[in-house]
Amino acid sequence: MSIQTVGIIGAGTMGSGIAQACAVCGIKVIMIDIKQEALDKGVNTVSSSLDRLIKKELLTADQKSIALSKITTATNYEALKPAQLVIEAATENYELKVKILKQLDAALPADVIIASNTSSISITQLASVTTRPDRFVGMHFFNPVPMMALVEIIRGLDTSDQTHAQVETLAKSLGKSPITVKNAPGFVVNRILVPMINEALFVLSEGLASPEDIDQGMKLGCNHPLGPLALADLIGLDVCLAVMEVYLKEYGDSKYRPCPLLKELVSAGRLGRKTKHGIYKYEK
């Protein structure tokens, strides 16, 4: 079964990014969210992103129109019937994901693959709340999705070889470079990345250097394109905190304790770029 239509649950940063990546490559997209306003915002985000590609002469206006025509939106799961794969890209919250996955499992035909874009939650555990653990897989895209080449494909305990192969083929057709990962909290990249961000916050909270100098040090000293604190703001400090809390719970190792400064910033509503204020301030 070739994947020609993809359903996406969530029209936020990740959902809209995945929608763009699919649509530009000719894959039909059905984007679902609970409110039409969120869907309109998601489509507008895709449109603005495509406009930037046009300015860089990486895309033509006609190609933009064709890509946008591939995206339809809806607020109900019934609209997902034509999809061969549905990607859950909701907020990194276990209870919310379980609720969505149970609803999806009941609404979708039995042969449809369900994937989760989770960055930290057990794929085996999420698969267990469905009746199709063999057709359940992790498909972890990286932000910003249109620009980042990597997709982690995470196999749960019961993920079938066929499911893995279909999702890997789709990822490659989107111009991505997938890696296959066994199921474990944080998988590979975020298992390394988020603790690094957390440690940068400890360095900041201890007053060892300014945010700018910490980021500059990692950019120049480790050849990172973006410093860890600026990256945390881009990811969302609330997401970073949620991931660290998952690691601490699942591994039971104190090295994964979230930095108190991270907790404080999240409590203050300073979540990063999405709130225009995190570690850094951003223009309104």
Side-chain angles (χ1 to χ4, degrees):
M1 177 182 68
S2 63
I3 296 172
Q4 300 174 339
T5 302
V6 172
I8 299 171
I9 308 302
T13 301
M14 296 304 294
S16 62
I18 297 167
Q20 177 179 329
C22 290
V24 166
C25 293
I27 304 292
K28 292 180 181 178
V29 174
I30 305 163
M31 192 159 58
I32 306 291
D33 212 306
I34 56 175
K35 292 184 179 180
Q36 188 60 45
E37 294 87 344
L39 291 165
D40 293 342
K41 183 178 179 181
V43 172
N44 287 336
T45 297
V46 173
S47 180
S48 297
S49 179
L50 295 177
D51 284 339
R52 289 192 291 273
L53 293 177
I54 291 173
K55 287 182 180 179
K56 295 177 181 178
E57 298 184 349
L58 298 173
L59 199 75
T60 66
D62 285 345
Q63 287 173 321
K64 174 191 172 180
S65 296
I66 293 169
L68 288 177
S69 74
K70 298 288 183 183
I71 303 174
T72 59
T73 63
T75 56
N76 63 85
Y77 291 161
E78 292 298 313
L80 293 169
K81 287 292 175 66
Q84 293 85 40
L85 165 71
V86 176
I87 303 171
E88 170 274 308
T91 304
E92 194 73 354
N93 177 284
Y94 175 73
E95 288 75 19
L96 175 62
K97 288 183 184 293
V98 166
K99 179 182 177 182
I100 290 171
L101 292 173
K102 285 181 176 179
Q103 292 172 341
L104 278 178
D105 190 47
L108 297 173
D111 60 342
V112 176
I113 297 169
I114 299 178
S116 176
N117 184 55
T118 180
S119 58
S120 63
I121 301 172
S122 167
I123 294 301
T124 297
Q125 190 175 9
L126 292 176
S128 72
V129 306
T130 75
T131 59
R132 63 187 85 198
D134 59 321
R135 289 181 297 285
F136 194 98
V137 68
M139 198 174 187
H140 180 211
F141 291 82
F142 287 76
N143 187 29
V145 177
M147 305 302 293
M148 299 295 281
L150 180 65
V151 177
E152 285 182 320
I153 299 176
I154 304 101
R155 298 189 66 149
L157 185 63
D158 296 312
T159 302
S160 71
D161 291 342
Q162 182 182 11
T163 295
H164 173 266
Q166 287 177 284
V167 171
E168 184 178 50
T169 297
L170 174 66
K172 289 178 179 178
S173 75
L174 300 181
K176 304 301 183 186
S177 299
I179 63 171
T180 298
V181 180
K182 291 181 179 180
N183 183 61
F187 317 130
V188 170
V189 175
N190 281 347
R191 169 83 176 272
I192 299 167
L193 177 66
V194 178
M196 181 193 74
I197 289 172
N198 194 52
E199 194 64 25
L201 280 153
F202 271 114
V203 170
L204 177 63
S205 68
E206 292 166 15
L208 298 183
S210 68
E212 293 81 3
D213 282 351
I214 293 168
D215 280 347
Q216 187 78 333
M218 291 302 291
K219 286 165 66 178
L220 299 180
C222 297
N223 204 27
H224 290 188
L226 195 65
L229 299 177
L231 181 58
D233 274 353
L234 179 63
I235 294 169
L237 300 187
D238 54 334
V239 175
C240 292
L241 177 59
V243 172
M244 287 303 297
E245 288 176 335
V246 168
Y247 294 172
L248 184 62
K249 177 183 176 183
E250 294 297 325
Y251 289 111
D253 191 326
S254 62
K255 73 179 181 181
Y256 295 116
R257 70 201 185 287
C259 176
L261 176 59
L262 177 58
K263 291 183 176 181
E264 188 77 358
L265 290 168
V266 172
S267 295
R270 289 172 52 178
L271 308 183
R273 285 185 175 272
K274 59 188 169 186
T275 60
K276 307 299 183 185
H277 197 187
I279 298 162
Y280 297 101
K281 281 188 177 180
Y282 301 89
E283 292 183 6
K284 299 295 183 183

